Structure formats: structure tokens, C-alpha cells
Amino acid sequence: LVSYNGGGPGAAPGLNPETLAELVHRQGACVRLYRLPATRDQKRIILRRLGKIDQEGSAYNLLGLVLPCTGQPNTMFCSQFVYGILKLAGLAYFQKDPLQVRPTDLLDWDLKGRLSFVAEYSSTSPALPSP
């Protein structure tokens, strides 16, 4: 599990490994988990791209949240990162300029029901996933 975020204690802005338990235990956090079917080849494409981003370095695109621009490669905001990875792997289920994608688009534009809801977790959930 990875996130593309603005960083935090012990994590630089950009691509960061996460565990579901870590995400859920953040103040006020609620995590909804969805599944999108992908072939083995599509998963390999995603993993290769994640490895390349990890090697090259990354940064969170704070400016891109308010202005439609990006300064450098691997500088993205979270939904832009997710959409870009889906598009690269041939899994994008809607067409939109990556700089215009909002987190809610990933659910709102699933018109054919390709995403399936798996679970919702929060710090008050009785059974959190193991780290």
C-alpha cells in the first residue's frame, strides 16, 4: 500500500509506503477500501512505475491543488497520482485531464461499476487490519 501525500512525521512529501493500520490511526481518519480488477501484466506495469518513481524521487504537488500546473516530473497530488497510474496500466475508466482529477472523481466517474467496495475502517472500528 502506498500513498501520495504531503508528508508527515517521518515521511517526506510524495510517494510513501503505508499500512492500513497507520492510515486508520491518524486523527479523524476514515479509510474506504475499493478493489479494481487488474491483470497480472497491469499489476506489473503499476509496480514498475512505482519502483521508478521511488528511484527518481517524488514530491507532493501543493501548487497543483489550486492551479492547473506541475513543476517537475513525479510532482503530483494524490488523485492525480492514482489516475495517472490507472491510465498507464490501461485501467482508467474515465477520461479527464490528470491535473483536473479530484479524489471524488474516482468514485463518481465509475459509471460501469468497475470498483467494488471492500471495507471501511476508522480508529473506532472494532477490528482493524493487522499491520
Side-chain angles (χ1 to χ4, degrees), residues 14-91:
L15 184 64
N16 290 297
E18 303 274 3
T19 67
L20 197 48
E22 288 171 330
L23 291 172
V24 170
H25 287 298
R26 292 184 183 159
Q27 181 70 29
C30 179
V31 176
R32 297 190 86 195
L33 187 61
Y34 290 85
R35 178 177 291 126
L36 177 66
T39 66
R40 186 178 301 269
D41 285 338
Q42 289 169 319
K43 291 174 186 177
R44 284 186 186 128
I45 290 168
I46 291 169
L47 291 173
R48 276 195 303 264
R49 182 65 183 131
L50 291 175
K52 187 174 181 184
I53 291 171
D54 195 39
Q55 284 180 334
E56 294 172 349
S58 59
Y60 193 75
N61 188 10
L62 288 172
L63 185 59
L65 293 173
V66 292
L67 298 172
C69 65
T70 185
Q72 303 169 20
N74 300 335
T75 301
M76 298 171 264
F77 49 89
C78 55
S79 52
Q80 181 184 10
F81 165 72
V82 171
Y83 181 75
I85 290 289
L86 292 176
K87 194 168 185 174
L88 177 69
L91 292 167

